[in-house]
Amino acid sequence: MKVGFIGLGNVGGKLAGSLLRNNFDLTVRDLDENLTKSFKDLGAKVANSAKELAEKVDLIITCLPSPRICAEVMEADDGVINGLSENKIWLEMSTTDEAEIKRISKKIIAKKAIPLDGPVSGGCHRAATGNIAIFVGGSRKAFDKILPALTVMGRKILHTGELGSATILKVITNYLASVHLVALGEAWTVAKKSNLDLAKAFKGIAVSSGNSFVHETESQVILNGSYNINFTMDLVLKDTGLFDDLAKKLGVPLEISPKVVEIFKDGQKKYGSRAWSSMIVKRMEDINKIDFRANGFPEELTDNEPEEKGYEI
């Protein structure tokens, strides 16, 4: 199977790297020529346009920062859709909007190609080692066909059901992660003000009912002071906005979500759009004139688990 990958950013570059590392025939496309050159040096082919890439491969993967950018890549004159033909598969691995996935998918189907949505979850450090989780919605037959590629990019692979279902689930999980992160800011504030040993508090939370994936990962770079989670404020606002918009479309009144969006908008205003998302806890540090520092925590997360072939859960 020939694979094309468009979008070599923080997450996409790591997913594409797993494909290349596992000897897939890979063609890449990104506006940053330094990124494409690094892949070319490792043996990947480089396409001059999204259309050219789609013409040359069987599976086209997109992993892009926003629904708007994805629409441009897909629908431009030299975009993916104009390079599609029968039975080619498009896998959208960006975190995007379910309605937008379905809108673009109609154009994919009109070309007799097959759309799938396949967002990932678990952090950039796990994307780097092929140990991230992947949700996939759409045709079961197409899912089975691309499973060999999925199992080198991720460890736990879930077929979520019909097209768009993976995107909805991803938006939900990202919302929960954002809530957990905001809650951690308040939890660390109370721990610090209570004069707890923060390193011991980290261990205590990790073995308690209050534990979360966000605590196990992001609390480490918060306590280090780097906040470097490889994910930025603007991306959190995109994701929380998608969740909020989805709830509005469903006619579901929410209580926590609007407050979380408000908090992250304030964090973006204070620290900038490209500030690490975990800096949202700095609001609590600044308000209370404290810091959440402890010795022995890393500046950046690494996945210490060995790379293993993925499997369907």
Side-chain angles (χ1 to χ4, degrees):
M1 176 184 288
K2 293 181 178 179
V3 182
F5 207 108
I6 303 174
L8 303 174
N10 272 345
V11 176
K14 294 174 177 64
L15 296 171
S18 290
L19 290 166
L20 195 58
R21 188 169 62 250
N22 285 277
N23 302 313
F24 274 78
D25 184 323
L26 183 68
T27 302
V28 297
R29 169 74 181 155
D30 195 280
L31 293 179
D32 188 334
E33 292 183 1
N34 291 323
L35 293 176
T36 55
K37 183 182 183 302
S38 67
F39 272 84
K40 185 177 181 180
D41 291 344
L42 292 171
K45 305 179 187 74
V46 177
N48 294 314
S49 70
K51 178 177 182 288
E52 178 190 313
L53 179 142
E55 289 170 341
K56 291 182 174 180
V57 303
D58 308 301
L59 168 64
I60 303 99
I61 300 173
T62 50
C63 191
L64 299 160
S66 71
R68 178 186 61 79
I69 293 172
C70 182
E72 290 173 4
V73 168
M74 298 300 293
E75 297 176 296
D77 289 343
D78 62 351
V80 167
I81 290 172
N82 283 335
L84 290 177
S85 55
E86 189 171 0
N87 291 327
K88 287 182 183 281
I89 297 172
W90 170 52
L91 176 66
E92 168 62 298
M93 299 193 80
S94 320
T95 300
T96 186
D97 176 65
E98 178 216 9
E100 183 67 358
I101 283 278
K102 290 182 175 178
R103 184 188 71 79
I104 293 176
S105 291
K106 289 178 182 177
K107 298 186 177 186
I108 305 292
I109 293 166
K111 300 290 294 255
K112 297 185 178 179
I114 305 160
L116 297 171
D117 56 323
V120 299
S121 185
C124 286
H125 62 299
R126 289 191 175 179
T129 55
N131 286 331
I132 204 162
I134 304 176
F135 306 147
V136 181
S139 159
R140 177 73 212 196
K141 185 178 179 181
F143 170 83
D144 289 338
K145 186 174 181 179
I146 70 166
L147 191 57
L150 295 172
T151 56
V152 302
M153 289 190 288
R155 180 180 291 187
K156 295 181 180 180
I157 319 298
L158 177 66
H159 184 253
T160 56
E162 66 180 19
L163 184 72
S165 59
T167 293
I168 293 172
L169 182 56
K170 168 63 173 173
V171 168
I172 290 169
T173 62
N174 274 19
Y175 163 70
L176 286 170
S178 300
V179 172
H180 296 166
L181 182 54
V182 169
L184 276 171
E186 296 186 351
W188 284 122
T189 298
V190 172
K192 177 76 174 187
K193 286 285 194 177
S194 300
N195 295 316
L196 293 185
D197 179 320
L198 297 191
K200 290 185 177 179
F202 174 85
K203 292 179 181 179
I205 295 169
V207 298
S208 77
S209 58
N211 190 33
S212 67
F213 178 83
V214 175
H215 170 67
E216 291 182 353
T217 54
E218 300 197 36
S219 280
Q220 295 193 58
V221 292
I222 288 167
L223 293 172
N224 171 274
S226 75
Y227 306 99
N228 185 356
I229 198 62
N230 258 307
F231 201 76
T232 51
M233 290 278 185
D234 56 344
L235 294 177
V236 171
L237 276 167
K238 179 198 76 171
D239 293 347
T240 53
L242 289 170
F243 180 82
D244 222 37
D245 289 346
L246 178 60
K248 287 172 184 173
K249 288 176 188 174
L250 295 169
V252 178
L254 300 176
E255 296 177 334
I256 297 173
S257 176
K259 186 64 179 176
V260 170
V261 171
E262 179 187 323
I263 288 169
F264 271 99
K265 282 182 177 177
D266 184 61
Q268 180 177 250
K269 183 178 178 181
K270 282 184 167 71
Y271 309 119
S273 292
R274 303 304 291 167
W276 298 128
S277 58
S278 57
M279 282 187 73
I280 201 65
V281 305
K282 196 173 187 306
R283 291 173 69 259
M284 290 291 100
E285 292 178 298
D286 293 348
I287 289 166
N288 292 283
K289 296 180 172 56
I290 55 176
D291 64 63
F292 308 142
R293 301 292 87 81
N295 294 326
F297 291 91
E299 184 174 340
E300 190 171 0
L301 293 175
T302 55
D303 184 11
N304 295 320
E305 295 183 26
E307 183 174 0
E308 295 179 2
K309 186 174 180 180
Y311 53 91
E312 184 180 357
I313 60 171

